[in-house]
Amino acid sequence: MSVPLVVVEGPEAAVDDARGELASLGWRGVVEVAVTDAASAATAVLAALEGRPVLVRAAAGRDVVDRLCDDLRRLGHLDHRVGEPAGPLTAEQHALLALMAGGASLGAAARALHLSRRSADRRLAAARAALGSASTGAALAAYRRRLGRLPAGTIPGAEGDRPAG
Amino acid sequence: MSALVGRDEDLAEVRATLRQPPRAVLLVGEAGVGKTALVTAALDGRAGLPPRVGGALATLTWMPYLPLRRAFPDLDERVWAGDADHVLADLRAAVAAGAPVLVEDLHWADPATLACLEGLVGAVPLVMTVRRGDAAAAGVATRLEKAGASRLDLEPLGGADARLLLDRLRPDLVPAEADALLHRSGGNPLLLEELARDGASESLTLAVLARCRALPEPALEDLATLALAGRPLPAEVLPEIGALRESGIVAVDPGGLAAVRHALIAEVVVDLLSAERRRRCHGTLAGLADHPGEAARHLLALGDREAAKDAALDAVAAAPTPGERWRHLATAAEASDGDGAVLLRARAAEAACTAGEPDEAARLLDGLDDDCFAGPHGVAVAMARATQAFQAGEWDRYLAEVERGREVAATGSEGEALVRAREATAALVVRNDAAAALRLAGEAVALAEEHGLSPAGPRATRAGALAALGEAGWEPEFEAAIAAARADGDPYRELNARHNLVFALTVAGLLDRAWEIAATQRARCLELRLLKRARSADISRLVVAGCRGDHDWVLAESARLLAEPLSPGDRCDVHSVRGGSLAQLGRVEEALAAADALGERASHAADRLAVRLLANAFAGHAEAAREAWVGFGDSLGQEDVMITEITRAMSWACYEAGWPLPERAPLPPDGLVAGHAPELDGLAALAAGRPAEAAQLFADAQGRHGPRRWEVVWCRWAEGEALRLAGDPSATSVLGAAAAAAEEHGYAPIATRCRRSLRALGERPAGPRRTGDDPLTPRERQVVDLVVQGLTDADIADRLGVARRTVQTQLASARAKLGAESRAHLAALAGRDAP
């Protein structure tokens, strides 16, 4: 089973985005590490060695990040994101799109998230804008493509958290 | 991880080594070459215990025994606290069970681990991997070999294996795209997979750079030189070739030529060179260059413009082919200033057009501002721009550029002669006014002779005008133009003239002769090393084959051509012919897709409508055909042959729908469309309720359609149908013959009509074949796939050229079949099957 290991070299928004994607794929207990030097890089690698999903915000020198990526590629499914994300989504937007990508209607998704139809509508419009999609269908397609980069986790609530090492 | 491709021999070798004492293998290879995949496969195939897997990590090189700890997570913590002998003794005890041990990335291993591994050789089946090119790799490898491990060097995949792997990853690529990817990856499976999935992503670029950074500085300089050279260099000119080979980044062939193994690495290196290093390397390369053109390029990059220009002009003089000429002219232009640079640029652009590279020509001309029209080379620039517009198929711009040339050229000057020749071309090709073209071409020939210029261009135009007017003597005039162009060493006009000759022969219905001249053209293009022009000769042959009704050949040949890197105009031409053939074969969806592939390109707007019309008309979709027919509007009357063809198809569609027949222009009595007049007369007679007369006319049309097999078979059916309506007993045999011919050649629309007519006679012909086990019809599947891609109904309707309402009906039906509750659910269901 391949564990997601995400390294972000970009703005905070890109980290938020990755966090949202991991959550909507069902990953719990994700270890977040801000890597600024060799020592924090080692922390991230040790967490990956324990089999835990890792989300790294990389702000160290090139050598350190190169070595880190080299290691993570060996320990799981490395998703290395460089630069601005195509359009970062908030965690709330992720939750909505995740339900709709599973086939739920907007009304059903709104009920599941305890939202009014109006708020769900607004949230969906914001997600469409972030993804640069003209229609909801296009936004869901873009969303599925994005999630396709990462392995799926457990279904929330079905098996509880992933084992933590 | 994809399945192991192309590693059968390596796999057998690893397995054999693991059977022979001391059963230890050391795999050495560059990053991403597939070491892990190989050993995993080798150990998987062994009966018995699953392997213990460990390995070093770059970030944790300081942790004692980490690579082994990972392989033996079950051992007590205290084991690793003991002294070296103690650890080894415990490990020997632990491996007594016999499970093989795999320890990876030993270039990062700590000394204690390496010492321990030396002691484990012989005690247990042991596989170790080392990454080539890392600073510590060579030392570690030597040490483990001494301890008794057999070294196996893993090389990147060979061409055929890499292609096989890529084919699994991306079966959708056309061969040209696949070639480019394979070249960039150099057969490295990891690079190939990443490139195939995401292209050259930032992440991949960084990984590649990390590999280069591991090189010592002098080796990096040699790598930069080699990458900038853009071609292999003799190994002896690179002092650090040893280190580069060891790293696996550079390979040396048996002839002693060194090349960067993965083109992607060369690209990344070239992109990221510092200005200072770039200059230094260009200096080195200018000294090494053995061709003036190459020296010019490096001298220019160095900033030595004078020397660069001289070298480039030497190269122009020596260049044997147009393809080389334009590049050297472009370098010379870049190395020059003022009016000289303007003229060189215009010449380079003309040469690029000769080489069939209108996009390159556009780039060259974009660098010139409008001030240059006031200078001494204004006409040359305007003419180069006109040539470029012509090649790119942008007729409006062609007219504008010729007009600009006319404003700039002084009366009685050489420029006037050049402009007049283009005006003749404009009249013939763009304005479709052959009479004016004939007059202008005559004037241009006289002006050219007056100024001692080559008359080849205007003579070819005159020939084309004569042919269009149906006047005698066009063929010898073409031959004369071709001979004149050859004598003047002007391949552009020579090839254009012969191309137009092929076209004129085709229009005249002399298809065999057209085929033959197209073959000559193809050979001549190859001789001049003009691949793109050779393709346009291929397209001429495609047109001829389409006219002959050799649709199977057209489909095979067009598929071959579409896999090549064609220019946009050529690609459209191929789609257009292919669309016509598909329409005549009754493959409506594919024909419409071919029409869509023509996009919004202005020069192919009429083709797009024509293919749509033909496909719909032959399929009996009269409404859709009429939509395309109306769309023609003002483009009617521009292309005689095309208009004749679509009028014919539309007339049949109207007849079958019970509508009045469309008006028709007078038809030429001979040439390619000679059969159309009697055929349409027959149709008019049929519509007027005079079937006996119609049958006569259709019989006559079959003779006059001559080499056009599809049209002949169609008229055979039409004759049979008319005979049937006239109550003539010979109808059955005529229809039977038509049905047999239609079936034989796969002319489905004709076969359908024959069956219908025979049924009306009480005959029971064989039905069409049906295939497929998808619950969805192909069209429904197509629509659903587009929904998964996120298109709206309107987008889909647009893409498939059907009404929005139709799309909604098909979606509703697909939803019912798949049991989807909503559109999103449908996309989710269908998206799950998608790759």
Side-chain angles (χ1 to χ4, degrees), chain B residues 35 124 170 187 234 258 290 350 507 568 632 634 643 670 770 802 829:
Chain B
K35 298 184 288 292
V124 64
R170 290 287 301 275
D290 44 16
E350 293 266 10
V507 172
F632 264 95
D634 22 285
I643 296 306
D670 45 26
R770 278 186 198 285
V802 298
L829 285 175

CSV table of all heavy atoms in Angstrom, one decimal, chain B residues 35 124 170 187 234 258 290 350 507 568 632 634 643 670 770 802 829:
chain,number,residue,atom,x,y,z
B,35,LYS,N,16.4,-0.4,-11.2
B,35,LYS,CA,17.1,-1.4,-10.3
B,35,LYS,C,16.1,-2.1,-9.4
B,35,LYS,O,16.1,-3.4,-9.3
B,35,LYS,CB,18.2,-0.8,-9.5
B,35,LYS,CG,19.3,-0.1,-10.4
B,35,LYS,CD,20.4,0.4,-9.5
B,35,LYS,CE,20.0,1.7,-8.7
B,35,LYS,NZ,19.8,2.9,-9.6
B,124,VAL,N,23.9,-15.7,2.9
B,124,VAL,CA,22.5,-15.7,2.5
B,124,VAL,C,22.4,-15.1,1.1
B,124,VAL,O,23.3,-14.4,0.7
B,124,VAL,CB,21.7,-14.7,3.5
B,124,VAL,CG1,22.2,-13.3,3.5
B,124,VAL,CG2,20.2,-14.8,3.4
B,170,ARG,N,1.3,5.1,-22.7
B,170,ARG,CA,0.5,6.1,-23.5
B,170,ARG,C,0.2,5.6,-24.9
B,170,ARG,O,0.8,6.0,-25.9
B,170,ARG,CB,1.4,7.4,-23.6
B,170,ARG,CG,1.5,8.2,-22.4
B,170,ARG,CD,0.2,8.9,-21.9
B,170,ARG,NE,-0.3,9.8,-22.9
B,170,ARG,CZ,0.1,11.1,-23.1
B,170,ARG,NH1,1.0,11.6,-22.3
B,170,ARG,NH2,-0.4,11.8,-24.0
B,187,GLY,N,15.7,6.3,-22.9
B,187,GLY,CA,15.5,4.9,-22.5
B,187,GLY,C,15.5,4.7,-21.0
B,187,GLY,O,15.5,3.6,-20.5
B,234,PRO,N,33.4,14.4,-30.6
B,234,PRO,CA,34.4,13.4,-30.4
B,234,PRO,C,34.8,13.4,-28.9
B,234,PRO,O,35.0,14.4,-28.3
B,234,PRO,CB,35.6,13.9,-31.2
B,234,PRO,CG,35.0,14.8,-32.2
B,234,PRO,CD,33.8,15.4,-31.5
B,258,ALA,N,30.8,11.2,-28.3
B,258,ALA,CA,30.1,11.3,-27.0
B,258,ALA,C,28.8,12.1,-27.2
B,258,ALA,O,28.7,13.1,-27.9
B,258,ALA,CB,31.0,12.0,-26.0
B,290,ASP,N,33.6,22.2,-37.2
B,290,ASP,CA,34.3,21.9,-38.5
B,290,ASP,C,33.4,22.3,-39.6
B,290,ASP,O,33.7,22.0,-40.8
B,290,ASP,CB,34.7,20.4,-38.5
B,290,ASP,CG,33.6,19.5,-38.1
B,290,ASP,OD1,32.4,20.0,-37.9
B,290,ASP,OD2,33.8,18.3,-37.8
B,350,GLU,N,12.1,33.5,-47.3
B,350,GLU,CA,11.7,32.9,-48.6
B,350,GLU,C,12.3,31.5,-48.6
B,350,GLU,O,11.6,30.5,-49.0
B,350,GLU,CB,12.3,33.7,-49.8
B,350,GLU,CG,11.7,35.0,-50.0
B,350,GLU,CD,10.5,35.1,-50.9
B,350,GLU,OE1,10.1,34.0,-51.3
B,350,GLU,OE2,10.1,36.1,-51.3
B,507,VAL,N,-7.8,17.8,-61.9
B,507,VAL,CA,-9.1,18.4,-62.2
B,507,VAL,C,-9.5,18.0,-63.6
B,507,VAL,O,-10.7,17.9,-63.9
B,507,VAL,CB,-8.9,20.0,-62.1
B,507,VAL,CG1,-10.1,20.7,-62.7
B,507,VAL,CG2,-8.7,20.4,-60.7
B,568,PRO,N,0.2,22.6,-40.1
B,568,PRO,CA,-1.2,22.6,-39.9
B,568,PRO,C,-2.0,22.6,-41.2
B,568,PRO,O,-3.0,21.9,-41.3
B,568,PRO,CB,-1.4,24.0,-39.2
B,568,PRO,CG,-0.1,24.3,-38.6
B,568,PRO,CD,0.9,23.7,-39.5
B,632,PHE,N,-22.5,27.3,-46.6
B,632,PHE,CA,-21.6,27.7,-47.7
B,632,PHE,C,-21.8,29.2,-48.1
B,632,PHE,O,-20.8,29.9,-48.3
B,632,PHE,CB,-21.8,26.8,-48.9
B,632,PHE,CG,-20.8,25.7,-49.0
B,632,PHE,CD1,-21.2,24.4,-48.5
B,632,PHE,CD2,-19.6,25.9,-49.5
B,632,PHE,CE1,-20.3,23.4,-48.5
B,632,PHE,CE2,-18.7,24.8,-49.5
B,632,PHE,CZ,-19.1,23.6,-49.0
B,634,ASP,N,-21.5,32.5,-49.0
B,634,ASP,CA,-20.7,33.3,-50.0
B,634,ASP,C,-19.4,32.5,-50.4
B,634,ASP,O,-18.7,32.9,-51.3
B,634,ASP,CB,-20.3,34.7,-49.5
B,634,ASP,CG,-20.4,34.7,-48.0
B,634,ASP,OD1,-21.5,34.8,-47.5
B,634,ASP,OD2,-19.3,34.7,-47.3
B,643,ILE,N,-17.5,22.6,-55.4
B,643,ILE,CA,-18.9,23.0,-55.5
B,643,ILE,C,-19.7,22.0,-56.3
B,643,ILE,O,-20.8,21.7,-56.0
B,643,ILE,CB,-19.0,24.5,-56.1
B,643,ILE,CG1,-18.4,25.5,-55.2
B,643,ILE,CG2,-20.5,24.8,-56.4
B,643,ILE,CD1,-18.9,25.5,-53.8
B,670,ASP,N,-16.2,18.1,-69.6
B,670,ASP,CA,-15.2,17.1,-69.5
B,670,ASP,C,-14.4,17.3,-68.2
B,670,ASP,O,-14.7,18.1,-67.4
B,670,ASP,CB,-14.2,17.1,-70.7
B,670,ASP,CG,-13.8,18.5,-71.1
B,670,ASP,OD1,-13.8,19.3,-70.2
B,670,ASP,OD2,-13.5,18.7,-72.3
B,770,ARG,N,-23.6,-6.3,-37.8
B,770,ARG,CA,-23.6,-5.5,-36.5
B,770,ARG,C,-22.6,-6.1,-35.5
B,770,ARG,O,-22.4,-7.3,-35.5
B,770,ARG,CB,-25.0,-5.6,-35.9
B,770,ARG,CG,-25.9,-4.6,-36.5
B,770,ARG,CD,-27.2,-4.5,-35.7
B,770,ARG,NE,-28.3,-3.9,-36.5
B,770,ARG,CZ,-28.4,-2.6,-36.7
B,770,ARG,NH1,-27.5,-1.8,-36.2
B,770,ARG,NH2,-29.3,-2.2,-37.5
B,802,VAL,N,-24.0,18.0,-33.7
B,802,VAL,CA,-25.4,17.6,-33.7
B,802,VAL,C,-26.2,18.6,-32.8
B,802,VAL,O,-25.5,19.5,-32.2
B,802,VAL,CB,-25.6,16.2,-33.1
B,802,VAL,CG1,-24.9,15.2,-33.9
B,802,VAL,CG2,-25.1,16.1,-31.6
B,829,LEU,N,-19.8,7.1,-12.7
B,829,LEU,CA,-19.8,5.7,-13.1
B,829,LEU,C,-18.9,5.4,-14.3
B,829,LEU,O,-18.1,4.5,-14.3
B,829,LEU,CB,-21.3,5.3,-13.5
B,829,LEU,CG,-22.2,5.0,-12.4
B,829,LEU,CD1,-23.6,4.7,-13.0
B,829,LEU,CD2,-21.8,3.8,-11.6
